[in-house]
Amino acid sequence: MLALLLGVGVLTLGGPGTASADAASLCSGRPSKTVTFATGELRLYRSRQYVCALTVAKVPGPRRAMSVALQPRGGRPAVDSGRFTRQAGPVTVHALNRCVRATGTVAGRSGATGWVLC
């Protein structure tokens, strides 16, 4: 039990330089597209069968409204929204041989992809 608590403590400790490494490790696959907007970034990762997306704030700080939505063509969107300090998501959809579109929002500013990864 103590080892588990120590492991969790080590994972939660991190400096300001660990934000991008943490965000990248949440989605499996390779980075395929990044959309930058005024208050953050929308990042898409692709593996053979799945696409994963997350929205990362440009400047982590106080809780603010954030969301990420990822929709495969012909399917329902996967959405994560709420008040977060650093990121919304990840959300993952099955997208083998399908286009996807994604939208990310941080504090009222947003970025979107249109249909991509076709």
Side-chain angles (χ1 to χ4, degrees):
M1 180 69 171
L2 181 61
L4 177 64
L5 291 175
L6 287 175
V8 170
V10 169
L11 290 176
T12 58
L13 294 176
T18 61
S20 62
D22 292 341
S25 66
L26 294 173
C27 284
S28 63
R30 66 188 192 293
S32 61
K33 187 158 186 76
T34 300
V35 176
T36 303
F37 51 97
T39 55
E41 288 183 345
L42 171 64
R43 299 178 186 171
L44 269 68
Y45 296 83
R46 182 178 192 144
S47 63
R48 176 156 163 68
Q49 295 183 3
Y50 294 93
V51 176
C52 178
L54 54 100
T55 301
V56 180
K58 202 171 265 187
V59 179
R63 292 190 178 275
R64 59 196 163 231
M66 296 179 69
S67 69
V68 61
L70 180 63
Q71 179 181 11
R73 190 179 295 256
R76 294 184 180 201
V79 179
D80 182 26
S81 64
R83 296 185 59 81
F84 305 108
T85 59
R86 182 174 36 186
Q87 73 180 38
V91 293
T92 303
V93 296
H94 186 268
L96 182 63
N97 300 322
R98 285 199 211 175
C99 302
V100 296
R101 66 179 170 189
T103 305
T105 305
V106 177
R109 301 290 182 104
S110 65
T113 61
W115 293 108
V116 294
L117 307 178
C118 297

